[in-house]
Amino acid sequence: MSGSLGRASAALLHLGRGVLLRGPALRTRSSGPAGSGSASREHLDALVKKDKVVVFLKGTPQQPQCGFSNAVVQILRLHGVSDYAAYNVLEDPDLRQGIKDYSNWPTIPQVYLNGEFVGGCDILLQMHQNGDLVEELKKLGIRSALLDAKTDQDSK
Amino acid sequence: MELSAEYLREKLQRGLEAEHVEVEDTTPSRCAASFRVLVVSSKFQGKPLLQRHRLVNSCLEEELRHIHAFEQKTLTPEQWDKERQK
């Protein structure tokens, strides 16, 4: 993929904090009771399956607290995915460790599509660059905004 | 426990029978021990991204407990050749 997608992805990791995300329906998990309940396998299993697109971040989509988490937010934004569940692991240490145990993956951010662990920022970025993300979103019934953007480009 | 770029490079090379490994210590630009790695290995052949990354994670399971941030790129020898030709 070349052109604007290439430039966009290069810029992603350099975006600073506090990037505003315009768009509806972002559910963020308010800090619940600390304790094993919030991070049990059953609870996490339910969380990742509750929505088509689920991400665990450091910070929130409106204010990511980490460059990698920010990159995930920006990639989703590029594809026009605005309806997703975002959970801030910084609010809940049990969640932070629990989700790593659940996926057997050592870092945050973590991306789940259709209840399945997809990977972290690296993988999402590569999927974005090679077109796989558009395909995976399509399978979920989500039409990537980039498909429309590309059409505009081609017709110029 | 040693956590140098060289140590990681050697461990990845051995553990994944890698053709080529690059490890960059990115700690200075992050808040704690951070690394970016490139691993080229035929072991990645036919494996989707997630599986490849898990192989790397397994290889460095112990070290990752002490690493704060970790970026990885996993290529087969063919993909690596193509990249170098760009």
Side-chain angles (χ1 to χ4, degrees):
Chain A
M1 291 230 164
S2 60
S4 66
L5 283 182
R7 286 197 295 279
S9 51
L12 277 173
L13 286 173
H14 299 286
L15 286 172
R17 295 182 177 188
V19 178
L20 285 173
L21 186 71
R22 273 163 294 141
L26 272 184
R27 263 150 293 108
T28 48
R29 183 178 175 275
S30 51
S31 24
S36 53
S38 64
S40 71
R41 267 205 95 75
E42 297 74 28
H43 178 76
L44 292 172
D45 203 54
L47 275 189
V48 306
K49 294 188 162 110
K50 205 165 72 157
D51 297 279
K52 284 183 184 174
V53 181
V54 178
V55 299
F56 293 84
L57 306 170
K58 286 186 177 179
T60 65
Q62 294 83 355
Q63 241 187 328
Q65 297 293 305
C66 150
F68 301 127
S69 288
N70 185 38
V72 166
V73 170
Q74 297 314 314
I75 291 173
L76 291 176
R77 181 166 154 264
L78 277 177
H79 287 265
V81 180
S82 54
D83 188 25
Y84 62 93
Y87 300 99
N88 182 359
V89 304
L90 297 179
E91 282 185 349
D92 185 348
D94 287 335
L95 178 66
R96 185 172 179 173
Q97 187 53 50
I99 197 63
K100 290 178 190 175
D101 295 336
Y102 176 81
S103 57
N104 189 23
W105 187 262
T107 49
I108 305 292
Q110 296 193 7
V111 180
Y112 293 77
L113 294 178
N114 208 29
E116 232 181 83
F117 179 58
V118 161
C121 159
D122 284 342
I123 290 180
L124 198 70
L125 185 58
Q126 284 172 70
M127 287 173 67
H128 163 67
Q129 287 170 326
N130 67 19
D132 282 352
L133 185 54
V134 170
E135 286 310 307
E136 291 303 311
L137 289 174
K138 196 189 276 184
K139 286 184 200 168
L140 296 178
I142 300 173
R143 182 179 167 81
S144 169
L146 290 176
L147 285 172
D148 303 318
K150 196 171 191 299
T151 317
D152 292 340
Q153 262 191 311
D154 289 343
S155 65
K156 276 182 188 158
Chain B
M1 199 208 72
E2 207 197 322
L3 207 53
S4 68
E6 187 50 38
Y7 172 77
L8 294 178
R9 203 191 63 76
E10 279 184 17
K11 193 159 188 196
L12 284 167
Q13 183 120 53
R14 268 181 288 125
L16 296 170
E17 290 166 34
E19 191 176 287
H20 180 76
V21 180
E22 285 174 22
V23 178
E24 186 190 337
D25 187 338
T26 57
T27 307
S29 56
R30 311 260 179 235
C31 44
S34 311
F35 294 91
R36 175 185 296 132
V37 310
L38 162 69
V39 184
V40 181
S41 168
S42 51
K43 286 200 161 189
F44 296 143
Q45 198 75 54
K47 294 194 169 69
L49 271 182
L50 183 58
Q51 228 179 318
R52 298 184 184 192
H53 285 223
R54 286 202 186 278
L55 276 179
V56 173
N57 289 353
S58 297
C59 180
L60 297 180
E61 190 174 345
E62 182 52 44
E63 290 74 16
L64 278 168
R65 288 189 231 269
H66 307 274
I67 290 174
H68 174 75
F70 190 70
E71 297 169 77
Q72 52 169 304
K73 194 164 182 181
T74 48
L75 301 172
T76 60
E78 293 74 27
Q79 289 173 319
W80 175 233
D81 285 336
K82 268 197 210 145
E83 272 228 358
R84 282 189 293 181
Q85 277 160 28
K86 280 187 189 160

